[in-house]
Amino acid sequence: MTEEPEENAYNQIADKVGLVPNVRGKDNLIQGAVVGVFVLVGAGVGFAMGGDMTGAGLGVLAGLVSGGLISGLVLMVIGLLRK
């Protein structure tokens, strides 16, 4: 699948300047999968440590935040290194 010239220019500006939404489908799928794994791990750890659904809920919240931040930072660095 070939990118349109306008979309390619948008992606280059988004990678270098930042602060605009990422419209690359592959990046969004990768980030969604990583956040999903963090949520599942967080729920398991929260349930194991808390012993109830409150611990699991807090683990889900921690997984969402940490997964989103970590995967976002990695994708940001990858975007800066793209040619």
Side-chain angles (χ1 to χ4, degrees):
M1 179 177 203
T2 308
E3 287 185 295
E4 296 294 324
E6 293 107 21
E7 185 177 333
N8 192 23
Y10 174 83
N11 287 334
Q12 287 178 349
I13 292 171
D15 287 341
K16 299 303 178 197
V17 176
L19 302 176
V20 294
N22 183 350
V23 295
R24 282 191 176 94
K26 185 178 177 184
D27 287 356
N28 294 333
L29 288 174
I30 291 170
Q31 187 168 22
V34 169
V35 170
V37 168
F38 270 75
V39 165
L40 291 175
V41 170
V45 170
F47 186 77
M49 292 181 71
D52 60 355
M53 293 310 286
T54 303
L58 291 174
V60 165
L61 182 62
L64 277 171
V65 171
S66 61
L69 288 174
I70 291 170
S71 63
L73 287 171
V74 169
L75 287 173
M76 179 182 66
V77 170
I78 290 171
L80 288 173
L81 298 177
R82 282 187 181 130
K83 300 241 178 210

